[in-house]
Amino acid sequence: DYMRMIDGKTGALIGACMAWGGIVGGASANEQTQLHKAGMAVGRAFQIQDDLLDVIADHDDWGKAIGGDLQVGKKTFVTLTALERATGDTGQWMRRTLFENGGCPPDQIEAVQTTMRDLGVFDVARNAVAEHTDTAHAHLDVLPEGAARTALVELLDQLQRRSY
């Protein structure tokens, strides 16, 4: 459900923009399709990276309160992954802390971060970002060599590396 939501929001926006760029640039029908698919993959990578950064980014660089999504009880890639990986008392605590009473209290953010780190959630998120970025790269392989392709590849790499 979460991936479907990303696909219908961030993925749809980026996919449409990339396909329209292809149309304007005179791309073939196949190239337009591949650009759209690349954009959908970029949407997933971008949103998962955004969810991860909400929990681990440096506050001064991020410009937003760390754990803002946690505090409002938003279902994100990292919270859903944490719930999938947590068992027993830890799972019950995470479910209660993240989603009951409207979200995680600010004084519990650090404990949630530590638990997520211990559960390997951040590594799962980073791997998902890399996987979706690689998928986007593969779809761009259909494009001819040139400035436009190089710019898109560089943009994908920058999005994957962003730390705030």
Side-chain angles (χ1 to χ4, degrees):
D1 288 344
Y2 180 75
M3 290 303 194
R4 192 173 22 258
M5 184 270 302
I6 290 174
D7 290 346
K9 186 175 87 164
T10 312
L13 175 65
I14 297 172
C17 290
M18 289 181 71
W20 274 101
I23 291 168
V24 170
S28 69
N30 181 51
E31 290 168 339
Q32 293 169 30
T33 298
Q34 295 306 311
L35 283 164
H36 181 262
K37 288 179 180 181
M40 294 294 288
V42 170
R44 284 185 173 194
F46 180 88
Q47 190 61 56
I48 294 167
Q49 181 83 336
D50 196 64
D51 292 349
L52 175 63
L53 291 173
D54 180 74
V55 178
I56 68 167
D58 179 83
H59 170 70
D60 293 334
D61 292 335
W62 184 235
K64 300 193 258 183
I66 300 306
D69 290 344
L70 299 175
Q71 292 181 49
V72 297
K74 184 176 177 185
K75 291 181 178 137
T76 67
F77 186 88
V78 293
T79 59
L80 294 172
T81 301
L83 291 179
E84 285 177 352
R85 297 182 78 116
T87 59
D89 291 342
T90 302
Q92 291 175 1
W93 175 78
M94 289 291 282
R95 190 171 284 96
R96 236 184 359 262
T97 302
L98 294 173
F99 299 116
E100 291 180 8
N101 302 317
C104 181
D107 64 343
Q108 293 292 306
I109 299 280
E110 197 170 315
V112 168
Q113 289 171 317
T114 299
T115 303
M116 286 181 170
R117 185 176 303 107
D118 292 347
L119 291 170
V121 170
F122 303 150
D123 292 332
V124 171
R126 286 182 188 104
N127 289 338
V129 170
E131 177 184 322
H132 293 297
T133 301
D134 289 347
T135 298
H137 277 284
H139 288 297
L140 295 180
D141 285 346
V142 71
L143 298 178
E145 293 292 334
R149 179 178 170 176
T150 299
L152 287 173
V153 168
E154 287 175 5
L155 176 63
L156 293 181
D157 293 341
Q158 287 175 348
L159 287 174
Q160 185 176 0
R161 287 191 311 265
R162 75 185 171 113
S163 59
Y164 58 88

